[in-house]
Amino acid sequence: MAEQSRPLIGVFWMVLTGLNFVAVTALVKHVGDDVPAAQGAFLRYLLGLVFLIPMIRPILAAHLSKRQIKLFAARGVVHTGAVICWFYAMSRIPIADVTAMNYLSPVYITIGAALLLGERLPPRRMAAVVCALIGALIILRPGFREVDAGHFAMLFTAVGFAAGYLIAKQLSGEVSAAVVVGMLSIFVTIGLAPFAYVVWVPVSWSDVGWLFLVASFATAGHYSMTLAFAAAPLTVTQPVTFLQLVWAVILGAVVFDEPVDAWVVLGGAVILGSVSFITWREARAKRAVTPAVHQTKS
């Protein structure tokens, strides 16, 4: 259980988590169209397998059942599609749009938990879900601006990450966190391989280096996130994730010459406010259905 007396340490680690994940998005954006989305995602996970070495022993010791392997495979399938869409979205739309729309994943998890796992969805929590969806509409503004294919890709990304988390929730009480993370990386790498093969193009060593850095920052982000959760409750660390959107806006404007869209910032704030409210309500009810935003980005 998180220590309630260490909120500043939790905030520090969550700030560092946000910086790590902003670095991930910046590097993927930098690679851009040089590497097709599926191939880039595959190389990121393949290169990241080096970080799984400490997890090999726990995975072998878990003696997974056929049912558990099937669930891990199912999670790998939905996560594979979500990762491809995320890489595709990064090459199509501004970093701020990607970051803001990623906040929708916990909202979809709340809906999925109610529909599939029989979790209650009280009126206040339902109102927060509706507000989050309004936030998404503020970002997309259909009819008022062109909605790019990257935006639709991000909608699928959020749904895919949410589905993957719900499956992981079923397994989290049966195996250790190391097994959950390790099996996800293995199955996603396998799942991405055929998609990468279809679109494979020659890749430079510099792009391989950039994608290895993506894997490194993603791993560091998940590690610092774990430290944040150990130091403070989600009700403390969740609002800090809004800083990632601020940094994404600054990064997009300064490095990639992307215009600052106040509507995207507003929509992201509405979504994150709704997620924070849902997290607070579940904390009061001593439940843990809705994860922090970054928990869905394994």
Side-chain angles (χ1 to χ4, degrees), residues 156-198:
F156 182 83
T157 295
V159 172
F161 284 150
Y165 181 85
L166 289 172
I167 296 173
K169 185 174 183 292
Q170 298 294 299
L171 291 161
S172 61
E174 304 174 18
V175 297
S176 68
V179 174
V180 173
V181 174
M183 292 298 287
L184 174 69
S185 295
I186 291 171
F187 273 107
V188 172
T189 304
I190 295 172
L192 287 168
F195 294 99
Y197 176 78
V198 171

Side-chain angles (χ1 to χ4, degrees), residues 65-78 164 167-168 170-171 174 187:
S65 66
K66 289 184 178 180
R67 168 189 161 275
Q68 290 171 332
I69 292 175
K70 287 180 180 178
L71 286 174
F72 278 124
R75 189 188 185 203
V77 169
V78 295
I167 296 173
Q170 298 294 299
L171 291 161
E174 304 174 18
F187 273 107

Side-chain angles (χ1 to χ4, degrees), residues 264-276:
V264 171
V265 177
L266 175 61
V270 170
I271 294 171
L272 187 57
S274 302
V275 171
S276 297

Side-chain angles (χ1 to χ4, degrees), residues 219-285:
T219 301
H222 284 291
Y223 182 71
S224 59
M225 177 180 64
T226 301
L227 294 176
F229 294 157
L234 283 176
T235 49
V236 172
T237 58
Q238 183 78 68
V240 181
T241 59
F242 181 71
L243 287 175
Q244 185 180 347
L245 179 57
V246 175
W247 292 324
V249 170
I250 295 173
L251 182 71
V254 174
V255 178
F256 298 102
D257 295 322
E258 296 174 348
V260 177
D261 191 334
W263 291 105
V264 171
V265 177
L266 175 61
V270 170
I271 294 171
L272 187 57
S274 302
V275 171
S276 297
F277 176 78
I278 293 171
T279 302
W280 174 72
R281 291 290 299 175
E282 288 171 355
R284 289 197 60 183

